[in-house]
Amino acid sequence: MKFSHTLQFNAVPEWTDYYLAYDQLKKLIYQLEKERVEEKAQNSNRDPEKAANFSEEGLIVNDERFVEALDMQLEKVFDFYTEKEAELYAELEQLAKDSESPDFEDQNAPTTLQTLDSTHERRRSSAFLSPRLRPESHFVSTPPPANTIDENDVEESIERTFSRHSSVSRKSFQSAHSVSTIAYNKLVSFRTRCIGLYVALSELKSFQDLNRKGFDKILKKHDKLLDGNLRQTYLKKMVLESRPFMGETREALEKQIERVEKIYADLFTQGNVNDAMREFRTHLRDHIVYERNTVWKDMIGQERKTLNAHVKDTPKPMFTIPYINLPVTKGLLTSSICFLIALAAFIIFLCVDTFGSRPENYCFALLIFSAIMWATEAIPLYATALLIPFLIVPLKVMRNADGSIMTAANASSAVFASMFSSTIMMLLGGFALAAALSKYGIAKMFASHVLSRAGTRPHWVLLANMGVAAFLSMWISNVATPVLCFSLVQPIIRTLPAGSTFAPCLILGIALASCIGGMTSPISSPQNIITIENMSPNPGWGNWFAVALPVSIISIFITWGILLLVMRPGRTTPMLNTVKPTKDAFTKSQAFIAFVTIATIALWCAETSLASVFGSTGVIAAIPLFMFFGTGILVKDDLNAFLWSVVVLAQGGTALGNAVNSSGLLQFIAMSIKDGVEHMVPLAILCIFSLLILVFATFVSHTVAALIILPIVQQVGVHLPTPHPNLLVMGAGLVCSAGMGLPVSGYPNMSAIMMEDPTGKPYLRTLDFIKTGVPASILSTVVIIFLGYGIMTAIGY
């Protein structure tokens, strides 16, 4: 949790205005950072020596402005603490005098109070009193007048309290009831004062701790973002020398808390201080739980109202279905129409004899139904994938090797066997690597160190960010990479001048580079998993890198050039702020994760030569799963956080592909296409399928395009006069990641289109994707077709 949230959620509600204004100081730091970058940009052409002197003068002025704001906050904290301390210490002195009153000389009756309910909330501590005796502040300053006490009210209140407890508590009540009602009520009032004072002193101690930590945090942020050195000097000479934060002050406060505990122990727990502390802390805990939950709920409510964070209560447009007068939302209506279209197509193709064979007809109906459902997303993609195994078995589309229809038992076994393969296991292993690299900050550490060396020139910073995004996409998937990269570039974005085109250019560059990075390794995207599933033999990591890396590197440079040409970020932003590298030391856990990751990747690359030992890449994928979960690097929550929707989608696609192949439909379609393309050279066939899958991937999604088209491509390649199935499948699979012309073309683009500036205005529009993403998609596809074809031919595909 960010410290600003920690401060707000743990502050005493009544004292909120007297805490360090952490958010206000943080905004001032960001403003100073932005002004500093603008000054550098304006004076970049000066004489280096003069520019350096100017920069130093600017730093001094910035430090003075920040120190002035800090001084005001420190004075505010000092004044409040001094006032509250004097007030509470005076109350404690009065409490100590009252504890020596003759009214408390008889210790027999009061000792029964230790059996009272010690878990009630401080706000309800007046349950022992009549409603007229309820205190109105943190603590009761004087006992209530005796003539205002109604004996019957006291008895009823005490009986209600003790009715919830055991027989021991009832005996205690009887003992207490035997004492004078007035004297007993004074004891209860005094006990309430002790509890209230203990809570108030404990809150004052928390006030000390939170503000001291707040000054330390904000000074650390200042030094990090503005290259200052205030943390050591100001914290030591000003903060720690201020009375609220001096060691003697804290010791004095702790002694006063101990005095309250001793007074309470002498009167109510037979001198046992530990029992007194236990009761006090129970009351303190319940008070904090009650107060903090209330504050938490209020703050979340305010955030949603003022910032529209995550939840918008705006009414959705409703449509009324004719004849039945049923109101539905626009989204539900669209989904229902798409589902009905898919269902109608499914029923029609079930009834039409298209191929002269019932298994092929039924499988074609299932294929069309799944394609429409996936393309329109009438229901979530993974939900459709879960429906496929259910439909395959009753439709009886699965065949044995001799052409006979499989029984339901054999068909279900075959379907579920196909849904968990070596490729799925490799996908899980990739998730484990990504989770460990992300959780322990290795990916962020690497990215920040690289980006900190990118300089301040917009074109080089853009290229560095695109390179980092593409590289990280190889290991932590191109779904998580944009989110990480967008957080890393915030120091750059927040210091840009008004009207700068660099922010949208940078965000778009990261998104497009993440899409291209989706083709770089077998685990970088779901479409690569589907591609490998349709290749036989498995290409292995070595062959994949040999083809994908040159293609992706050239595509990155092409996309970078298009962004510079179209958006021209250097015109509005000549100089940028720099990303600060993380200064955390490399821990043993991080070293262990790095070792396991490198070892796993090395084994994957050498899988072909180690086939006699491991058999497949799926077996190697068990290494990171066991090593990370077995050693506690990853825990059950990390396992639950895996992208199981992607796993289920891949499994559903595999089951459908197996059914289409088993029914004979895939061979029929492939033979029909082969008759039209068999006279063409493999390069021309690759061009046709690449353009087809590029269009599909641009308008639908990369994964859906791979699920539907790659099995057909594989069968066409198998039945060519000179078979080239792996060449066509891998080429078409790489093109899936090149489809990035629209915001809906992939997860990275979807993340980018949702990015907004501080005013809530989106950085990007659909037109931005069309102007840069479409030409980048086309040129990347050309690189894949020609350069990829040459490399794949060289390695024997």
Side-chain angles (χ1 to χ4, degrees), residues 436-449 581-598 628 633:
L437 292 172
S438 178
K439 179 179 180 179
Y440 287 84
I442 299 176
K444 185 175 183 179
M445 184 181 295
F446 164 80
S448 64
H449 276 83
T582 57
K583 298 181 181 180
D584 299 332
F586 203 64
T587 64
K588 293 181 179 179
S589 297
Q590 291 173 325
F592 175 75
I593 293 168
F595 172 77
V596 173
T597 301
I598 294 172
F628 292 155
I633 294 291

Side-chain angles (χ1 to χ4, degrees), residues 87 122 134-141 192 196:
E87 178 186 340
R122 181 168 66 88
R134 182 170 299 166
E136 297 180 356
S137 63
H138 271 298
F139 44 85
V140 181
S141 57
T192 303

Side-chain angles (χ1 to χ4, degrees), residues 197-216:
L197 183 57
Y198 179 86
V199 170
L201 289 170
S202 298
E203 289 176 333
L204 189 63
K205 184 178 177 181
S206 172
F207 180 84
Q208 271 185 338
D209 294 336
L210 283 173
N211 281 290
R212 184 192 179 284
K213 189 174 182 180
F215 277 108
D216 183 59

